[in-house]
Amino acid sequence: MVKSMLAVAYDVLKENGKPLPFNELLDKVAEELGFSEQEKMDKMAQFYTNLSLDGKFVVLQDNHWDLRERVSFDKVHIDMNEAYNDIDEEDEDKSEIDDTTSLLGEDEQKEGDFESSDDDSSDDDIQKELDA
């Protein structure tokens, strides 16, 4: 019976006892299954995808792979609060001001020459540019 790449990867990581870089893991799996270099290259992307989706494996720093059973939750858990920062209102308001001044010509920015007019069409044009 021929084993799947994932089954061989599991065995390789279990025997190795420590995480392996993806390329080394792929090499060992391909060798165990007797793949040619071309077969190994043809199956590489699918193997990576399958490792990613299979709950028995976990990717660590620097694309090293290990068995989830050996890795504590703290090492693989990503705190989403650290991954994303909320933009507070002050930053958002400043961003809108920066966008408006970038629409002005360079001479107008230097001189600070903002003409006011009763014509709302220029305001509409700027708002359209901001929305685009």
Side-chain angles (χ1 to χ4, degrees):
M1 176 172 116
V2 177
K3 285 183 163 182
S4 72
M5 291 180 77
L6 289 179
V8 173
Y10 182 88
D11 291 343
V12 166
L13 288 170
K14 191 80 163 170
E15 289 171 17
N16 194 53
K18 63 179 183 171
L20 288 174
F22 175 76
N23 287 332
E24 188 176 331
L25 180 59
L26 176 62
D27 289 343
K28 289 179 184 265
V29 168
E31 182 182 333
E32 177 80 23
L33 293 172
F35 290 164
S36 68
E37 191 63 29
Q38 185 61 48
E39 286 175 307
K40 179 177 87 170
M41 296 308 288
D42 290 345
K43 295 176 187 262
M44 179 172 41
Q46 188 62 53
F47 178 57
Y48 191 92
T49 300
N50 291 344
L51 279 175
S52 299
L53 296 174
D54 191 302
K56 293 183 292 232
F57 303 95
V58 63
V59 65
L60 303 171
Q61 197 170 17
D62 297 326
N63 202 22
H64 281 65
W65 288 83
D66 202 357
L67 299 175
R68 184 168 299 277
E69 64 196 44
R70 288 197 301 232
V71 180
S72 68
F73 178 77
D74 294 340
K75 287 189 177 183
V76 294
H77 174 70
I78 298 171
D79 183 358
M80 296 311 287
N81 290 325
E82 293 176 12
Y84 297 102
N85 291 327
D86 291 334
I87 299 174
D88 58 7
E89 283 186 35
E90 289 179 347
D91 290 343
E92 193 172 7
D93 291 342
K94 182 182 179 304
S95 174
E96 289 176 13
I97 292 169
D98 290 346
D99 288 344
T100 303
T101 57
S102 69
L103 295 174
L104 300 173
E106 194 173 304
D107 294 337
E108 290 174 323
Q109 288 180 23
K110 287 180 185 173
E111 297 173 8
D113 184 22
F114 300 107
E115 295 180 22
S116 68
S117 71
D118 295 336
D119 182 16
D120 289 332
S121 64
S122 62
D123 291 341
D124 290 340
D125 291 341
I126 291 174
Q127 187 59 46
K128 286 178 187 175
E129 287 291 326
L130 288 173
D131 292 339

Coordinates of all heavy atoms in Angstrom, one line a residue, residues 50-87:
N50 N -2.0 21.1 1.4 CA -2.5 20.0 2.3 C -2.0 20.1 3.7 O -2.7 19.9 4.6 CB -2.2 18.7 1.6 CG -3.0 18.4 0.4 OD1 -3.9 19.1 0.1 ND2 -2.5 17.5 -0.4
L51 N -0.7 20.4 3.8 CA -0.1 20.6 5.2 C -0.8 21.7 5.9 O -1.2 21.6 7.1 CB 1.4 20.9 5.1 CG 2.4 19.8 4.9 CD1 3.8 20.4 4.7 CD2 2.4 18.8 6.0
S52 N -1.1 22.8 5.2 CA -1.7 24.0 5.8 C -3.1 23.6 6.3 O -3.6 24.2 7.3 CB -1.8 25.1 4.8 OG -0.5 25.5 4.4
L53 N -3.8 22.8 5.5 CA -5.2 22.5 5.8 C -5.4 21.4 6.8 O -6.5 21.3 7.5 CB -6.0 22.2 4.5 CG -6.1 23.4 3.6 CD1 -6.7 22.9 2.3 CD2 -6.8 24.6 4.1
D54 N -4.4 20.5 7.0 CA -4.5 19.4 7.8 C -4.2 19.8 9.3 O -3.2 20.4 9.6 CB -3.6 18.3 7.4 CG -3.8 17.0 8.1 OD1 -3.8 17.0 9.4 OD2 -4.0 16.0 7.4
G55 N -5.1 19.5 10.2 CA -5.0 20.0 11.6 C -3.9 19.3 12.4 O -3.6 19.7 13.5
K56 N -3.3 18.3 11.8 CA -2.2 17.6 12.5 C -0.9 18.3 12.4 O 0.1 18.0 13.1 CB -2.0 16.2 12.0 CG -3.1 15.2 12.2 CD -2.9 13.8 11.7 CE -2.8 13.8 10.3 NZ -3.6 12.9 9.5
F57 N -0.8 19.3 11.5 CA 0.5 20.0 11.2 C 0.3 21.5 11.6 O -0.8 22.0 11.5 CB 0.9 19.8 9.8 CG 1.0 18.4 9.3 CD1 0.0 17.8 8.7 CD2 2.2 17.7 9.6 CE1 0.1 16.5 8.3 CE2 2.3 16.4 9.2 CZ 1.3 15.8 8.5
V58 N 1.4 22.1 11.9 CA 1.4 23.5 12.2 C 2.7 24.1 11.6 O 3.8 23.5 11.7 CB 1.3 23.7 13.8 CG1 2.5 23.2 14.5 CG2 1.1 25.2 14.1
V59 N 2.5 25.3 11.1 CA 3.7 26.0 10.6 C 4.2 27.0 11.7 O 3.4 27.6 12.3 CB 3.4 26.8 9.3 CG1 2.4 27.9 9.5 CG2 4.6 27.4 8.6
L60 N 5.5 27.0 11.8 CA 6.1 27.8 12.8 C 6.9 28.9 12.1 O 6.8 29.1 10.9 CB 7.0 27.0 13.7 CG 6.3 25.8 14.4 CD1 7.3 24.9 15.1 CD2 5.3 26.3 15.4
Q61 N 7.7 29.6 12.9 CA 8.6 30.7 12.4 C 9.5 30.1 11.3 O 10.0 29.0 11.3 CB 9.4 31.3 13.5 CG 10.0 32.6 13.2 CD 10.5 33.2 14.5 OE1 10.7 32.5 15.5 NE2 10.8 34.5 14.5
D62 N 9.8 31.0 10.3 CA 10.7 30.6 9.2 C 10.3 29.4 8.4 O 11.1 28.7 7.9 CB 12.1 30.4 9.7 CG 12.7 31.7 10.4 OD1 12.4 32.8 9.9 OD2 13.5 31.5 11.3
N63 N 9.0 29.2 8.2 CA 8.4 28.1 7.4 C 8.9 26.7 7.9 O 9.1 25.8 7.1 CB 8.7 28.3 5.9 CG 7.8 27.6 5.0 OD1 6.7 27.2 5.4 ND2 8.2 27.3 3.8
H64 N 9.1 26.6 9.2 CA 9.3 25.3 9.8 C 8.0 24.6 10.1 O 7.1 25.3 10.6 CB 10.2 25.4 11.0 CG 11.7 25.6 10.7 ND1 12.1 26.8 10.1 CD2 12.7 24.8 11.0 CE1 13.4 26.7 10.0 NE2 13.8 25.5 10.5
W65 N 7.9 23.3 9.9 CA 6.7 22.6 10.2 C 6.9 21.6 11.3 O 8.0 21.0 11.4 CB 6.3 21.9 8.9 CG 5.7 22.8 7.9 CD1 6.5 23.6 7.0 CD2 4.4 23.2 7.7 NE1 5.6 24.4 6.3 CE2 4.3 24.2 6.7 CE3 3.2 22.8 8.3 CZ2 3.1 24.7 6.2 CZ3 2.0 23.4 7.8 CH2 2.0 24.3 6.8
D66 N 5.9 21.4 12.1 CA 5.9 20.5 13.2 C 4.5 19.8 13.4 O 3.6 20.3 12.7 CB 6.4 21.1 14.5 CG 7.0 20.2 15.5 OD1 7.0 18.9 15.2 OD2 7.4 20.6 16.6
L67 N 4.5 18.9 14.2 CA 3.2 18.2 14.6 C 2.5 19.1 15.6 O 3.1 19.5 16.6 CB 3.4 16.8 15.1 CG 4.1 15.9 14.1 CD1 4.4 14.5 14.8 CD2 3.3 15.7 12.9
R68 N 1.2 19.3 15.4 CA 0.5 20.2 16.3 C 0.5 19.6 17.7 O 0.5 20.3 18.7 CB -1.0 20.3 15.9 CG -1.8 21.2 16.8 CD -3.1 21.6 16.2 NE -3.0 22.4 15.0 CZ -2.8 23.7 14.9 NH1 -2.6 24.4 15.9 NH2 -2.8 24.3 13.7
E69 N 0.5 18.3 17.8 CA 0.5 17.6 19.2 C 1.8 18.0 20.0 O 1.7 17.8 21.2 CB 0.4 16.1 19.0 CG 1.6 15.5 18.3 CD 1.3 14.1 17.8 OE1 0.3 13.8 17.2 OE2 2.2 13.2 18.0
R70 N 2.8 18.5 19.4 CA 4.0 18.8 20.1 C 4.2 20.3 20.4 O 5.1 20.7 21.1 CB 5.3 18.4 19.3 CG 5.5 16.9 19.3 CD 6.9 16.5 18.9 NE 7.2 17.1 17.5 CZ 7.7 16.3 16.6 NH1 7.9 15.0 16.7 NH2 8.0 16.9 15.4
V71 N 3.3 21.1 19.8 CA 3.4 22.5 19.9 C 2.3 23.1 20.8 O 1.2 22.8 20.6 CB 3.4 23.2 18.5 CG1 3.5 24.7 18.6 CG2 4.5 22.6 17.6
S72 N 2.7 23.9 21.8 CA 1.7 24.5 22.7 C 0.9 25.6 21.9 O 1.4 26.2 21.0 CB 2.4 25.1 23.9 OG 3.2 26.3 23.5
F73 N -0.2 25.8 22.4 CA -1.2 26.8 21.9 C -0.5 28.1 21.8 O -0.7 28.9 20.8 CB -2.4 26.8 22.7 CG -3.4 27.8 22.2 CD1 -4.2 27.6 21.1 CD2 -3.6 29.0 22.9 CE1 -5.2 28.5 20.7 CE2 -4.5 30.0 22.5 CZ -5.3 29.7 21.4
D74 N 0.2 28.5 22.8 CA 0.8 29.8 22.8 C 1.8 30.1 21.7 O 2.0 31.2 21.2 CB 1.6 30.0 24.2 CG 0.6 30.1 25.4 OD1 -0.6 30.3 25.1 OD2 1.1 29.8 26.5
K75 N 2.4 29.0 21.2 CA 3.4 29.2 20.1 C 2.8 29.4 18.7 O 3.4 29.9 17.9 CB 4.4 28.0 20.1 CG 5.4 28.0 21.2 CD 6.4 26.9 20.9 CE 7.4 26.9 22.1 NZ 8.5 25.9 21.8
V76 N 1.5 28.9 18.6 CA 0.9 29.1 17.3 C -0.3 30.0 17.3 O -0.8 30.4 16.2 CB 0.4 27.7 16.8 CG1 1.6 26.8 16.5 CG2 -0.6 27.0 17.7
H77 N -0.8 30.4 18.4 CA -1.9 31.4 18.5 C -1.4 32.8 18.2 O -0.4 33.3 18.7 CB -2.5 31.3 19.9 CG -3.6 32.4 20.1 ND1 -4.8 32.3 19.5 CD2 -3.6 33.5 20.8 CE1 -5.5 33.3 19.8 NE2 -4.8 34.1 20.6
I78 N -2.2 33.4 17.3 CA -1.9 34.8 16.9 C -3.0 35.7 17.6 O -4.2 35.5 17.3 CB -2.0 35.0 15.4 CG1 -0.9 34.2 14.7 CG2 -1.8 36.5 15.0 CD1 -1.0 34.2 13.2
D79 N -2.6 36.6 18.4 CA -3.6 37.5 19.0 C -4.0 38.5 18.0 O -3.2 39.3 17.5 CB -2.9 38.2 20.2 CG -3.9 39.1 21.0 OD1 -5.1 39.2 20.6 OD2 -3.5 39.7 22.0
M80 N -5.3 38.5 17.6 CA -5.7 39.4 16.5 C -5.7 40.8 17.0 O -5.6 41.7 16.1 CB -7.2 39.0 16.1 CG -7.2 37.6 15.5 SD -6.0 37.3 14.2 CE -6.7 38.3 12.9
N81 N -5.7 41.1 18.3 CA -5.6 42.5 18.7 C -4.2 43.1 18.4 O -4.1 44.3 18.2 CB -5.9 42.6 20.2 CG -7.3 42.3 20.6 OD1 -8.2 42.7 19.8 ND2 -7.6 41.7 21.7
E82 N -3.2 42.2 18.4 CA -1.9 42.7 18.0 C -1.7 42.7 16.5 O -0.9 43.5 16.0 CB -0.8 41.7 18.6 CG -0.8 41.8 20.1 CD 0.2 40.7 20.7 OE1 1.0 40.2 19.9 OE2 0.2 40.5 21.9
A83 N -2.5 41.9 15.8 CA -2.3 41.9 14.3 C -3.0 43.1 13.7 O -2.5 43.6 12.6 CB -2.9 40.6 13.8
Y84 N -4.0 43.6 14.2 CA -4.8 44.7 13.6 C -4.8 45.9 14.6 O -5.1 45.7 15.8 CB -6.2 44.3 13.3 CG -6.3 43.3 12.2 CD1 -6.5 41.9 12.6 CD2 -6.0 43.5 10.9 CE1 -6.6 40.9 11.6 CE2 -6.1 42.6 9.9 CZ -6.4 41.3 10.3 OH -6.4 40.3 9.4
N85 N -4.6 47.1 14.2 CA -4.7 48.3 15.0 C -5.9 49.1 14.5 O -6.0 49.3 13.3 CB -3.5 49.1 14.9 CG -2.3 48.5 15.6 OD1 -2.5 47.8 16.6 ND2 -1.1 48.7 15.1
D86 N -6.8 49.5 15.4 CA -7.9 50.3 15.0 C -7.4 51.7 14.8 O -6.6 52.2 15.5 CB -9.0 50.3 16.1 CG -9.7 49.0 16.2 OD1 -9.7 48.2 15.2 OD2 -10.2 48.7 17.3
I87 N -8.0 52.3 13.8 CA -7.7 53.8 13.5 C -8.7 54.6 14.4 O -9.9 54.4 14.2 CB -7.9 54.1 12.0 CG1 -7.0 53.3 11.2 CG2 -7.7 55.6 11.8 CD1 -7.2 53.4 9.7

